[in-house]
Amino acid sequence: EGSSIQVLELFTMLNRDAGQTIVMVTHEPEDIKYVDRIIYLKDGLLEYEMPGANTRADARATDPAG
């Protein structure tokens, strides 16, 4: 578990500091606290999407999609 948290924190840092887009696929609900956006797929199609727990309120206000 410790190494997975380190990887998630590295992804968060790369996104925040370097502007890197990270696409992560997971079945772990606790990973939600590290993401800005959640996209649910079913049978290969978009089922729905929502902001993640790591989404800043100011980013949602300026994002035309959010």
Side-chain angles (χ1 to χ4, degrees):
E1 181 177 305
S3 61
S4 63
I5 291 172
Q6 289 176 325
V7 170
L8 291 168
E9 288 174 350
L10 175 63
F11 285 167
T12 301
M13 183 208 58
L14 287 170
N15 176 257
R16 181 188 61 234
D17 299 342
Q20 282 296 143
T21 298
I22 307 293
V23 177
M24 180 176 75
V25 177
T26 184
H27 295 274
E28 302 298 330
E30 62 270 9
D31 292 347
I32 202 169
K33 63 184 170 192
Y34 293 96
V35 303
D36 295 329
R37 187 166 136 196
I38 302 162
I39 299 173
Y40 288 90
L41 300 175
K42 183 175 182 177
D43 298 327
L45 300 172
L46 175 67
E47 188 159 282
Y48 63 94
E49 65 181 285
M50 58 189 250
N54 198 33
T55 304
R56 297 184 326 256
D58 60 326
R60 281 183 283 175
T62 59
D63 183 356

